[in-house]
Amino acid sequence: MDGVADGTVLALIGVLLGTAGTLIGQHLANRVEVQRGHRHRADVARAERKEAISGFLKAVQRVELVLDRRKLGMPTLDDPEDEKLHELWLAKKAVELVCSTEVSQAAHDYTTLLHTLMRTPDDRGRSPVKRERREVFMEVAREELESGRARLRR
């Protein structure tokens, strides 16, 4: 009976070790999968923020082109200014939906200033305030996208 008891104990130890190994393996696999899921969601969110910021910058560029041409006394493009402002405000709203409060506020401040400059036919199109608002937006947008790079000297 000693041999049978020893065999049974060894078999039970083998079953326990196998079960423990399986449970540990499943736990580690689940942990890796959770981390992968978090990373995937973070990547998707960053891509959404990047797309919104890029769309906003495209709309800003179209408005600034009109302001720059106006400042230089050149004729403006055929597109109505109202349409450009509408695209700008829409792009700003997309930023508000997916970006942080800081980026959203900077986009709002910049959009409000550009709107005012578009509606004011004097030569403030190159105002220092416009440059300041652009720089603020660019820096908070860079932080939002986690560039990890130092602030730009301007």
PDB file of all heavy atoms in Angstrom, residues 97-124:
ATOM      1  N   LEU A  97     -14.961  67.954 -29.226  1.00  0.00           N
ATOM      2  CA  LEU A  97     -15.523  66.628 -28.960  1.00  0.00           C
ATOM      3  C   LEU A  97     -14.480  65.615 -28.505  1.00  0.00           C
ATOM      4  O   LEU A  97     -14.790  64.743 -27.697  1.00  0.00           O
ATOM      5  CB  LEU A  97     -16.230  66.090 -30.206  1.00  0.00           C
ATOM      6  CG  LEU A  97     -17.558  66.747 -30.549  1.00  0.00           C
ATOM      7  CD1 LEU A  97     -18.072  66.203 -31.881  1.00  0.00           C
ATOM      8  CD2 LEU A  97     -18.581  66.516 -29.450  1.00  0.00           C
ATOM      9  N   VAL A  98     -13.256  65.711 -29.010  1.00  0.00           N
ATOM     10  CA  VAL A  98     -12.297  64.641 -28.740  1.00  0.00           C
ATOM     11  C   VAL A  98     -11.047  65.078 -27.989  1.00  0.00           C
ATOM     12  O   VAL A  98     -10.273  64.220 -27.561  1.00  0.00           O
ATOM     13  CB  VAL A  98     -11.879  63.921 -30.048  1.00  0.00           C
ATOM     14  CG1 VAL A  98     -13.067  63.230 -30.685  1.00  0.00           C
ATOM     15  CG2 VAL A  98     -11.221  64.872 -31.017  1.00  0.00           C
ATOM     16  N   CYS A  99     -10.844  66.369 -27.820  1.00  0.00           N
ATOM     17  CA  CYS A  99      -9.610  66.843 -27.192  1.00  0.00           C
ATOM     18  C   CYS A  99      -9.866  67.333 -25.767  1.00  0.00           C
ATOM     19  O   CYS A  99     -11.007  67.494 -25.347  1.00  0.00           O
ATOM     20  CB  CYS A  99      -8.981  67.961 -28.021  1.00  0.00           C
ATOM     21  SG  CYS A  99      -8.375  67.398 -29.625  1.00  0.00           S
ATOM     22  N   SER A 100      -8.788  67.601 -25.078  1.00  0.00           N
ATOM     23  CA  SER A 100      -8.858  68.062 -23.697  1.00  0.00           C
ATOM     24  C   SER A 100      -9.426  69.480 -23.624  1.00  0.00           C
ATOM     25  O   SER A 100      -9.539  70.183 -24.637  1.00  0.00           O
ATOM     26  CB  SER A 100      -7.461  68.055 -23.074  1.00  0.00           C
ATOM     27  OG  SER A 100      -6.648  69.041 -23.699  1.00  0.00           O
ATOM     28  N   THR A 101      -9.743  69.894 -22.420  1.00  0.00           N
ATOM     29  CA  THR A 101     -10.270  71.233 -22.188  1.00  0.00           C
ATOM     30  C   THR A 101      -9.281  72.304 -22.629  1.00  0.00           C
ATOM     31  O   THR A 101      -9.676  73.310 -23.225  1.00  0.00           O
ATOM     32  CB  THR A 101     -10.603  71.413 -20.689  1.00  0.00           C
ATOM     33  OG1 THR A 101     -11.522  70.386 -20.308  1.00  0.00           O
ATOM     34  CG2 THR A 101     -11.203  72.765 -20.418  1.00  0.00           C
ATOM     35  N   GLU A 102      -8.000  72.080 -22.384  1.00  0.00           N
ATOM     36  CA  GLU A 102      -6.982  73.076 -22.739  1.00  0.00           C
ATOM     37  C   GLU A 102      -6.920  73.274 -24.249  1.00  0.00           C
ATOM     38  O   GLU A 102      -6.873  74.407 -24.734  1.00  0.00           O
ATOM     39  CB  GLU A 102      -5.600  72.661 -22.210  1.00  0.00           C
ATOM     40  CG  GLU A 102      -5.477  72.672 -20.703  1.00  0.00           C
ATOM     41  CD  GLU A 102      -6.063  71.430 -20.026  1.00  0.00           C
ATOM     42  OE1 GLU A 102      -6.322  70.414 -20.719  1.00  0.00           O
ATOM     43  OE2 GLU A 102      -6.288  71.490 -18.817  1.00  0.00           O
ATOM     44  N   VAL A 103      -6.933  72.193 -24.992  1.00  0.00           N
ATOM     45  CA  VAL A 103      -6.876  72.293 -26.448  1.00  0.00           C
ATOM     46  C   VAL A 103      -8.171  72.910 -26.975  1.00  0.00           C
ATOM     47  O   VAL A 103      -8.146  73.768 -27.856  1.00  0.00           O
ATOM     48  CB  VAL A 103      -6.620  70.915 -27.095  1.00  0.00           C
ATOM     49  CG1 VAL A 103      -6.706  70.984 -28.605  1.00  0.00           C
ATOM     50  CG2 VAL A 103      -5.273  70.380 -26.663  1.00  0.00           C
ATOM     51  N   SER A 104      -9.293  72.492 -26.417  1.00  0.00           N
ATOM     52  CA  SER A 104     -10.580  73.035 -26.847  1.00  0.00           C
ATOM     53  C   SER A 104     -10.657  74.534 -26.597  1.00  0.00           C
ATOM     54  O   SER A 104     -11.133  75.287 -27.450  1.00  0.00           O
ATOM     55  CB  SER A 104     -11.725  72.334 -26.103  1.00  0.00           C
ATOM     56  OG  SER A 104     -11.734  70.967 -26.404  1.00  0.00           O
ATOM     57  N   GLN A 105     -10.183  74.978 -25.443  1.00  0.00           N
ATOM     58  CA  GLN A 105     -10.211  76.408 -25.131  1.00  0.00           C
ATOM     59  C   GLN A 105      -9.286  77.188 -26.056  1.00  0.00           C
ATOM     60  O   GLN A 105      -9.645  78.254 -26.553  1.00  0.00           O
ATOM     61  CB  GLN A 105      -9.816  76.658 -23.676  1.00  0.00           C
ATOM     62  CG  GLN A 105      -9.974  78.107 -23.244  1.00  0.00           C
ATOM     63  CD  GLN A 105     -11.427  78.565 -23.312  1.00  0.00           C
ATOM     64  OE1 GLN A 105     -12.300  77.944 -22.721  1.00  0.00           O
ATOM     65  NE2 GLN A 105     -11.684  79.621 -24.054  1.00  0.00           N
ATOM     66  N   ALA A 106      -8.096  76.652 -26.320  1.00  0.00           N
ATOM     67  CA  ALA A 106      -7.160  77.327 -27.230  1.00  0.00           C
ATOM     68  C   ALA A 106      -7.752  77.406 -28.636  1.00  0.00           C
ATOM     69  O   ALA A 106      -7.618  78.430 -29.314  1.00  0.00           O
ATOM     70  CB  ALA A 106      -5.820  76.599 -27.239  1.00  0.00           C
ATOM     71  N   ALA A 107      -8.409  76.339 -29.083  1.00  0.00           N
ATOM     72  CA  ALA A 107      -9.048  76.347 -30.402  1.00  0.00           C
ATOM     73  C   ALA A 107     -10.176  77.369 -30.433  1.00  0.00           C
ATOM     74  O   ALA A 107     -10.345  78.095 -31.418  1.00  0.00           O
ATOM     75  CB  ALA A 107      -9.580  74.956 -30.740  1.00  0.00           C
ATOM     76  N   HIS A 108     -10.940  77.445 -29.360  1.00  0.00           N
ATOM     77  CA  HIS A 108     -12.043  78.420 -29.296  1.00  0.00           C
ATOM     78  C   HIS A 108     -11.500  79.848 -29.346  1.00  0.00           C
ATOM     79  O   HIS A 108     -12.015  80.682 -30.102  1.00  0.00           O
ATOM     80  CB  HIS A 108     -12.866  78.207 -28.025  1.00  0.00           C
ATOM     81  CG  HIS A 108     -13.961  79.207 -27.887  1.00  0.00           C
ATOM     82  ND1 HIS A 108     -15.149  79.104 -28.564  1.00  0.00           N
ATOM     83  CD2 HIS A 108     -14.035  80.361 -27.168  1.00  0.00           C
ATOM     84  CE1 HIS A 108     -15.911  80.138 -28.275  1.00  0.00           C
ATOM     85  NE2 HIS A 108     -15.253  80.910 -27.431  1.00  0.00           N
ATOM     86  N   ASP A 109     -10.477  80.128 -28.559  1.00  0.00           N
ATOM     87  CA  ASP A 109      -9.898  81.480 -28.540  1.00  0.00           C
ATOM     88  C   ASP A 109      -9.351  81.855 -29.916  1.00  0.00           C
ATOM     89  O   ASP A 109      -9.557  82.980 -30.388  1.00  0.00           O
ATOM     90  CB  ASP A 109      -8.792  81.567 -27.488  1.00  0.00           C
ATOM     91  CG  ASP A 109      -9.315  81.394 -26.070  1.00  0.00           C
ATOM     92  OD1 ASP A 109     -10.542  81.516 -25.851  1.00  0.00           O
ATOM     93  OD2 ASP A 109      -8.484  81.124 -25.181  1.00  0.00           O
ATOM     94  N   TYR A 110      -8.668  80.939 -30.553  1.00  0.00           N
ATOM     95  CA  TYR A 110      -8.081  81.181 -31.864  1.00  0.00           C
ATOM     96  C   TYR A 110      -9.186  81.395 -32.905  1.00  0.00           C
ATOM     97  O   TYR A 110      -9.132  82.323 -33.720  1.00  0.00           O
ATOM     98  CB  TYR A 110      -7.198  79.995 -32.217  1.00  0.00           C
ATOM     99  CG  TYR A 110      -6.262  80.148 -33.379  1.00  0.00           C
ATOM    100  CD1 TYR A 110      -5.926  81.388 -33.916  1.00  0.00           C
ATOM    101  CD2 TYR A 110      -5.679  79.021 -33.947  1.00  0.00           C
ATOM    102  CE1 TYR A 110      -5.042  81.496 -34.975  1.00  0.00           C
ATOM    103  CE2 TYR A 110      -4.791  79.120 -35.008  1.00  0.00           C
ATOM    104  CZ  TYR A 110      -4.488  80.357 -35.513  1.00  0.00           C
ATOM    105  OH  TYR A 110      -3.611  80.450 -36.574  1.00  0.00           O
ATOM    106  N   THR A 111     -10.219  80.556 -32.866  1.00  0.00           N
ATOM    107  CA  THR A 111     -11.336  80.672 -33.807  1.00  0.00           C
ATOM    108  C   THR A 111     -12.071  81.993 -33.632  1.00  0.00           C
ATOM    109  O   THR A 111     -12.402  82.660 -34.617  1.00  0.00           O
ATOM    110  CB  THR A 111     -12.310  79.490 -33.612  1.00  0.00           C
ATOM    111  OG1 THR A 111     -11.597  78.277 -33.851  1.00  0.00           O
ATOM    112  CG2 THR A 111     -13.492  79.578 -34.552  1.00  0.00           C
ATOM    113  N   THR A 112     -12.309  82.379 -32.394  1.00  0.00           N
ATOM    114  CA  THR A 112     -13.010  83.641 -32.126  1.00  0.00           C
ATOM    115  C   THR A 112     -12.214  84.819 -32.683  1.00  0.00           C
ATOM    116  O   THR A 112     -12.785  85.720 -33.316  1.00  0.00           O
ATOM    117  CB  THR A 112     -13.235  83.810 -30.609  1.00  0.00           C
ATOM    118  OG1 THR A 112     -14.000  82.698 -30.136  1.00  0.00           O
ATOM    119  CG2 THR A 112     -13.967  85.095 -30.298  1.00  0.00           C
ATOM    120  N   LEU A 113     -10.911  84.793 -32.475  1.00  0.00           N
ATOM    121  CA  LEU A 113     -10.073  85.877 -33.000  1.00  0.00           C
ATOM    122  C   LEU A 113     -10.098  85.900 -34.523  1.00  0.00           C
ATOM    123  O   LEU A 113     -10.262  86.963 -35.136  1.00  0.00           O
ATOM    124  CB  LEU A 113      -8.642  85.740 -32.499  1.00  0.00           C
ATOM    125  CG  LEU A 113      -7.682  86.782 -33.075  1.00  0.00           C
ATOM    126  CD1 LEU A 113      -8.000  88.156 -32.495  1.00  0.00           C
ATOM    127  CD2 LEU A 113      -6.258  86.397 -32.820  1.00  0.00           C
ATOM    128  N   LEU A 114      -9.946  84.743 -35.160  1.00  0.00           N
ATOM    129  CA  LEU A 114      -9.967  84.699 -36.624  1.00  0.00           C
ATOM    130  C   LEU A 114     -11.310  85.164 -37.168  1.00  0.00           C
ATOM    131  O   LEU A 114     -11.375  85.871 -38.179  1.00  0.00           O
ATOM    132  CB  LEU A 114      -9.641  83.285 -37.119  1.00  0.00           C
ATOM    133  CG  LEU A 114      -8.194  82.831 -36.904  1.00  0.00           C
ATOM    134  CD1 LEU A 114      -8.042  81.369 -37.309  1.00  0.00           C
ATOM    135  CD2 LEU A 114      -7.220  83.710 -37.671  1.00  0.00           C
ATOM    136  N   HIS A 115     -12.379  84.783 -36.500  1.00  0.00           N
ATOM    137  CA  HIS A 115     -13.718  85.215 -36.912  1.00  0.00           C
ATOM    138  C   HIS A 115     -13.806  86.740 -36.858  1.00  0.00           C
ATOM    139  O   HIS A 115     -14.292  87.376 -37.801  1.00  0.00           O
ATOM    140  CB  HIS A 115     -14.774  84.580 -36.000  1.00  0.00           C
ATOM    141  CG  HIS A 115     -16.167  84.908 -36.405  1.00  0.00           C
ATOM    142  ND1 HIS A 115     -16.941  84.025 -37.106  1.00  0.00           N
ATOM    143  CD2 HIS A 115     -16.926  86.012 -36.227  1.00  0.00           C
ATOM    144  CE1 HIS A 115     -18.116  84.565 -37.341  1.00  0.00           C
ATOM    145  NE2 HIS A 115     -18.135  85.780 -36.807  1.00  0.00           N
ATOM    146  N   THR A 116     -13.332  87.315 -35.766  1.00  0.00           N
ATOM    147  CA  THR A 116     -13.353  88.774 -35.615  1.00  0.00           C
ATOM    148  C   THR A 116     -12.519  89.436 -36.703  1.00  0.00           C
ATOM    149  O   THR A 116     -12.942  90.431 -37.304  1.00  0.00           O
ATOM    150  CB  THR A 116     -12.817  89.168 -34.221  1.00  0.00           C
ATOM    151  OG1 THR A 116     -13.631  88.551 -33.230  1.00  0.00           O
ATOM    152  CG2 THR A 116     -12.819  90.672 -34.030  1.00  0.00           C
ATOM    153  N   LEU A 117     -11.343  88.890 -36.976  1.00  0.00           N
ATOM    154  CA  LEU A 117     -10.475  89.465 -38.006  1.00  0.00           C
ATOM    155  C   LEU A 117     -11.107  89.361 -39.394  1.00  0.00           C
ATOM    156  O   LEU A 117     -10.964  90.275 -40.218  1.00  0.00           O
ATOM    157  CB  LEU A 117      -9.106  88.793 -37.994  1.00  0.00           C
ATOM    158  CG  LEU A 117      -8.236  89.061 -36.763  1.00  0.00           C
ATOM    159  CD1 LEU A 117      -6.982  88.197 -36.806  1.00  0.00           C
ATOM    160  CD2 LEU A 117      -7.892  90.532 -36.639  1.00  0.00           C
ATOM    161  N   MET A 118     -11.800  88.270 -39.668  1.00  0.00           N
ATOM    162  CA  MET A 118     -12.461  88.113 -40.967  1.00  0.00           C
ATOM    163  C   MET A 118     -13.595  89.122 -41.128  1.00  0.00           C
ATOM    164  O   MET A 118     -13.841  89.608 -42.221  1.00  0.00           O
ATOM    165  CB  MET A 118     -13.025  86.698 -41.129  1.00  0.00           C
ATOM    166  CG  MET A 118     -12.012  85.651 -41.450  1.00  0.00           C
ATOM    167  SD  MET A 118     -11.466  85.654 -43.153  1.00  0.00           S
ATOM    168  CE  MET A 118     -12.753  84.681 -43.916  1.00  0.00           C
ATOM    169  N   ARG A 119     -14.268  89.414 -40.041  1.00  0.00           N
ATOM    170  CA  ARG A 119     -15.416  90.328 -40.097  1.00  0.00           C
ATOM    171  C   ARG A 119     -15.009  91.799 -40.016  1.00  0.00           C
ATOM    172  O   ARG A 119     -15.827  92.675 -40.223  1.00  0.00           O
ATOM    173  CB  ARG A 119     -16.398  90.015 -38.968  1.00  0.00           C
ATOM    174  CG  ARG A 119     -17.037  88.663 -39.085  1.00  0.00           C
ATOM    175  CD  ARG A 119     -17.941  88.628 -40.274  1.00  0.00           C
ATOM    176  NE  ARG A 119     -18.730  87.407 -40.263  1.00  0.00           N
ATOM    177  CZ  ARG A 119     -19.081  86.774 -41.352  1.00  0.00           C
ATOM    178  NH1 ARG A 119     -18.745  87.215 -42.516  1.00  0.00           N
ATOM    179  NH2 ARG A 119     -19.792  85.676 -41.266  1.00  0.00           N
ATOM    180  N   THR A 120     -13.751  92.057 -39.700  1.00  0.00           N
ATOM    181  CA  THR A 120     -13.256  93.421 -39.584  1.00  0.00           C
ATOM    182  C   THR A 120     -12.386  93.708 -40.801  1.00  0.00           C
ATOM    183  O   THR A 120     -11.294  93.161 -40.926  1.00  0.00           O
ATOM    184  CB  THR A 120     -12.419  93.587 -38.295  1.00  0.00           C
ATOM    185  OG1 THR A 120     -13.177  93.085 -37.201  1.00  0.00           O
ATOM    186  CG2 THR A 120     -12.077  95.030 -38.050  1.00  0.00           C
ATOM    187  N   PRO A 121     -12.836  94.585 -41.697  1.00  0.00           N
ATOM    188  CA  PRO A 121     -12.100  94.792 -42.945  1.00  0.00           C
ATOM    189  C   PRO A 121     -10.873  95.699 -42.827  1.00  0.00           C
ATOM    190  O   PRO A 121     -10.355  96.136 -43.823  1.00  0.00           O
ATOM    191  CB  PRO A 121     -13.150  95.419 -43.860  1.00  0.00           C
ATOM    192  CG  PRO A 121     -14.113  96.073 -42.954  1.00  0.00           C
ATOM    193  CD  PRO A 121     -14.109  95.283 -41.679  1.00  0.00           C
ATOM    194  N   ASP A 122     -10.391  95.974 -41.635  1.00  0.00           N
ATOM    195  CA  ASP A 122      -9.178  96.792 -41.540  1.00  0.00           C
ATOM    196  C   ASP A 122      -7.945  95.905 -41.701  1.00  0.00           C
ATOM    197  O   ASP A 122      -8.052  94.741 -42.062  1.00  0.00           O
ATOM    198  CB  ASP A 122      -9.143  97.589 -40.232  1.00  0.00           C
ATOM    199  CG  ASP A 122      -9.094  96.704 -38.993  1.00  0.00           C
ATOM    200  OD1 ASP A 122      -8.863  95.497 -39.152  1.00  0.00           O
ATOM    201  OD2 ASP A 122      -9.274  97.205 -37.885  1.00  0.00           O
ATOM    202  N   ASP A 123      -6.774  96.415 -41.428  1.00  0.00           N
ATOM    203  CA  ASP A 123      -5.549  95.664 -41.695  1.00  0.00           C
ATOM    204  C   ASP A 123      -4.972  95.004 -40.451  1.00  0.00           C
ATOM    205  O   ASP A 123      -3.778  94.962 -40.264  1.00  0.00           O
ATOM    206  CB  ASP A 123      -4.508  96.553 -42.374  1.00  0.00           C
ATOM    207  CG  ASP A 123      -4.112  97.744 -41.511  1.00  0.00           C
ATOM    208  OD1 ASP A 123      -4.847  98.061 -40.567  1.00  0.00           O
ATOM    209  OD2 ASP A 123      -3.057  98.341 -41.798  1.00  0.00           O
ATOM    210  N   ARG A 124      -5.838  94.424 -39.617  1.00  0.00           N
ATOM    211  CA  ARG A 124      -5.344  93.716 -38.443  1.00  0.00           C
ATOM    212  C   ARG A 124      -5.116  92.238 -38.728  1.00  0.00           C
ATOM    213  O   ARG A 124      -4.936  91.449 -37.829  1.00  0.00           O
ATOM    214  CB  ARG A 124      -6.342  93.855 -37.288  1.00  0.00           C
ATOM    215  CG  ARG A 124      -6.481  95.269 -36.785  1.00  0.00           C
ATOM    216  CD  ARG A 124      -7.339  95.338 -35.563  1.00  0.00           C
ATOM    217  NE  ARG A 124      -8.538  94.524 -35.706  1.00  0.00           N
ATOM    218  CZ  ARG A 124      -9.316  94.188 -34.696  1.00  0.00           C
ATOM    219  NH1 ARG A 124      -9.038  94.583 -33.483  1.00  0.00           N
ATOM    220  NH2 ARG A 124     -10.380  93.451 -34.885  1.00  0.00           N
TER     221      ARG A 124
END
